[in-house]
């Protein structure tokens, strides 16, 4: 790179370029900026070095274990490749200094009674739109296998009742697909839409799931909070490799 730049400026340029290509980079983007702030804050100047990467991986980790450190190193690998295209002296840790960064833990397989109990508990939440929203959302996840991020991005126009299907746009790897609906899911959606029609716009571009308080699109943070509260109340025991049952397991 011809002119000296802060690591934070380089990270911002990298993320801007990647997002223009359609990558969201929510978590990895946050971690890349966190690394850049760490490097600048510790007086790092010049090309990226393996030493500063390994130091950040360990010192800034929420858990002091090799798997967490390895994941943090892996997040920075695309950023390092970007830097290497501009600066040949860029360094990055070789191989896997902390071991594997990915592992697949067994998911919790929900029983029918657990799904029914979760939906029933959601229907008992306070408000009018809120119980309908969470019951529909959790039921839809269980019935279709949608990822939570895909469900929260659904718009009114993505529902095709005549064909009994959903259109999922910008799913994983920015792919789109059609998701068939069971008749029971179509019926539940029809009931939910009657409630949803009384709360905010029903234009095609409007979000399917809204926060009752703000009428803004429902956020993952709100869903996670409600899910944890409901599953704790229901005392659903985790039977997979994770400590708690997860939304993703639906």
């Amino acid at each position: 790179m011809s002119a000296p730049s802060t690591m934070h400026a380089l990270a911002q340029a990298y993320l801007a370029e990647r997002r223009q290509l359609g990558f969201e980079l929510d978590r990895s983007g946050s971690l890349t900026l966190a690394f850049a702030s760490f490097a600048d804050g510790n007086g790092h100047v010049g090309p990226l070095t393996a030493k500063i990467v390994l130091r950040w991986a360990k010192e800034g980790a929420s858990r002091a274990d090799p798997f967490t450190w390895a994941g943090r190193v892996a997040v920075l690998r695309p950023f390092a490749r970007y830097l290497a295209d501009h600066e040949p002296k860029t360094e990055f840790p070789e191989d896997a200094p902390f071991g594997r960064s990915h592992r697949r833990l067994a998911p919790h397989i929900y029983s029918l009674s657990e799904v029914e109990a979760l939906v029933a508990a959601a229907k008992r939440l306070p408000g009018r739109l809120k119980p309908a929203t969470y019951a529909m959302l959790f039921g839809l996840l269980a019935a279709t296998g949608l990822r939570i991020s895909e469900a929260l991005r659904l718009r009114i126009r993505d529902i095709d009742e005549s064909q009994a299907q959903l259109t999922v746009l910008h799913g994983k790897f920015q792919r789109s697909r059609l998701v068939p609906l069971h008749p029971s899911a179509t019926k539940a959606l029809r009931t939910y839409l009657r409630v949803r029609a009384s709360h905010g716009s029903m234009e095609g571009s409007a979000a399917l799931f809204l926060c009752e308080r703000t009428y803004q699109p429902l956020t993952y943070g709100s869903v996670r909070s409600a899910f944890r509260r409901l599953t704790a109340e229901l005392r659903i025991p985790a039977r997979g490799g994770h400590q708690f049952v997860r939304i993703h397991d639906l």
Side-chain angles (χ1 to χ4, degrees):
M1 298 178 182
S2 57
S5 298
T6 65
M7 193 64 71
H8 198 270
L10 295 172
Q12 287 182 315
Y14 157 73
L15 293 173
E17 179 177 301
R18 296 288 285 173
R19 283 167 176 153
Q20 284 183 338
L21 295 174
F23 295 93
E24 294 186 7
L25 304 177
D26 292 334
R27 178 177 178 275
S28 62
S30 297
L31 287 173
T32 300
L33 291 175
F35 163 74
S37 296
F38 176 87
D40 291 338
N42 282 274
H44 179 83
V45 293
L48 179 70
T49 64
K51 181 179 179 180
I52 191 66
V53 170
L54 294 175
R55 183 181 167 192
W56 171 78
K58 297 185 71 173
E59 292 186 16
S62 58
R63 294 183 180 179
D65 67 81
F67 180 74
T68 299
W69 301 334
R72 289 165 67 81
V73 170
V75 162
L76 294 181
R77 195 175 299 278
F79 179 46
R81 285 197 291 263
Y82 166 84
L83 295 177
D85 288 340
H86 301 276
E87 174 52 79
K89 294 182 180 180
T90 295
E91 297 177 3
F92 196 76
E94 297 182 1
D95 301 321
F98 300 124
R100 295 176 60 185
S101 62
H102 297 284
R103 62 185 175 187
R104 289 190 178 274
L105 298 179
H108 173 89
I109 305 300
Y110 287 88
S111 67
L112 176 59
S113 62
E114 288 172 343
V115 174
E116 290 175 339
L118 178 60
V119 172
K123 290 180 178 179
R124 294 193 295 269
L125 289 170
R128 185 161 186 267
L129 179 62
K130 186 175 184 178
T133 296
Y134 281 104
M136 185 68 249
L137 176 59
F138 295 145
L140 189 65
L141 293 175
T144 63
L146 288 180
R147 299 176 181 88
I148 181 61
S149 59
E150 294 172 336
L152 294 179
R153 283 198 296 265
L154 286 173
R155 296 294 181 262
I156 299 295
R157 63 176 170 234
D158 297 330
I159 304 169
D160 188 339
E161 289 189 53
S162 64
Q163 297 297 318
Q165 65 186 18
L166 296 174
T167 299
V168 176
L169 301 174
H170 309 300
K172 194 172 184 179
F173 305 121
Q174 295 300 303
R175 294 172 180 168
S176 300
R177 68 185 190 281
L178 298 177
V179 178
L181 295 172
H182 187 272
S184 62
T186 303
K187 180 180 178 181
L189 266 173
R190 191 176 298 117
T191 300
Y192 168 71
L193 288 173
R194 287 198 291 269
V195 178
R196 170 66 178 78
S198 301
H199 300 79
S201 170
M202 288 294 286
E203 293 183 2
S205 59
L208 177 62
F209 297 114
L210 297 179
C211 169
E212 183 167 13
R213 181 174 56 84
T214 65
Y215 284 5
Q216 295 298 309
L218 197 61
T219 65
Y220 174 68
S222 296
V223 175
R224 182 177 58 182
S225 177
F227 177 83
R228 286 179 174 176
R229 185 170 66 254
L230 293 175
T231 52
E233 292 174 357
L234 294 170
R235 297 184 179 181
I236 298 177
R239 294 187 296 275
H242 297 269
Q243 186 176 3
F244 303 102
V245 293
R246 306 174 304 154
I247 297 175
H248 189 66
D249 294 330
L250 286 169

